Amino acid sequence: MKKAMLIGAIGCGKTTLIQALHHIQINYNKTQALDFYDDIIDTPGEYVEHRRLYSTLITTSAEASIIFLLQSSIDKRAIFPPGFTTMFSADVVGIITKVDEASESDIEYARSRLLETGINHIIEVSSVTNQNVDQVRKLIDSHNG
């Protein structure tokens, strides 16, 4: 069965979102290697922050039916280069994380970073308040069903 794949910078909230999706108590856990869950692949932030590791993302994406690019609303770095989504054959959706900690201008900045990658569908999420976590779950289920 294909899985959803989460890609984003170190500390952007990938693992925390997985915990929220699986109704697990949120506990910070640094992902050290690819983690395969029943329905999700969690990638270490280093894989997107160091371009020499892009080949691992491309290879792993063969196991994905949908890919989520996560951009933290409180991280001002441009994590993903323009056109980043073109390296994947699966559907790619953007997720702006930590919206409960951000101003509207922070969220708009994160949105602009994701739009540059080629994404046209973006979900604003807070794993702490569960804002729109259900929308992410529905997308995973619809692609993995």
Side-chain angles (χ1 to χ4, degrees):
M1 174 171 90
K2 296 258 184 171
K3 302 174 185 291
M5 183 172 162
L6 276 58
I7 302 172
I10 298 166
C12 76
K14 297 178 300 294
T15 303
T16 303
L17 177 57
I18 291 169
Q19 291 170 348
L21 287 164
H22 291 144
H23 307 289
I24 299 169
Q25 182 176 355
I26 293 176
N27 182 20
Y28 180 76
N29 183 21
K30 171 70 181 92
T31 303
Q32 299 293 328
L34 290 170
D35 281 343
F36 290 83
Y37 296 84
D38 289 339
D39 56 350
I40 298 172
I41 303 167
D42 190 5
T43 63
E46 289 85 356
Y47 285 23
V48 74
E49 291 191 32
H50 302 289
R51 292 182 182 201
R52 68 182 183 281
L53 298 174
Y54 280 8
S55 60
T56 304
L57 292 175
I58 294 166
T59 302
T60 305
S61 74
E63 299 294 322
S65 57
I66 186 169
I67 296 169
F68 294 100
L69 300 187
L70 280 70
Q71 172 71 47
S72 169
S73 61
I74 60 173
D75 187 345
K76 295 300 185 193
R77 297 177 297 156
I79 302 302
F80 304 104
F84 184 76
T85 61
T86 61
M87 71 171 84
F88 303 111
S89 60
D91 290 338
V92 184
V93 173
I95 296 179
I96 300 172
T97 60
K98 304 182 182 184
V99 296
D100 57 305
E101 301 178 37
S103 68
E104 192 57 39
S105 64
D106 292 334
I107 293 169
E108 285 309 310
Y109 178 81
R111 179 180 307 286
S112 69
R113 296 286 64 81
L114 288 171
L115 289 172
E116 287 180 353
T117 70
I119 287 174
N120 56 25
H121 183 198
I122 297 173
I123 305 169
E124 297 176 12
V125 170
S126 168
S127 298
V128 174
T129 66
N130 281 319
Q131 178 181 339
N132 296 328
V133 170
D134 60 330
Q135 286 185 30
V136 176
R137 169 50 58 201
K138 286 177 186 174
L139 279 172
I140 292 170
D141 291 345
S142 70
H143 280 78
N144 292 348

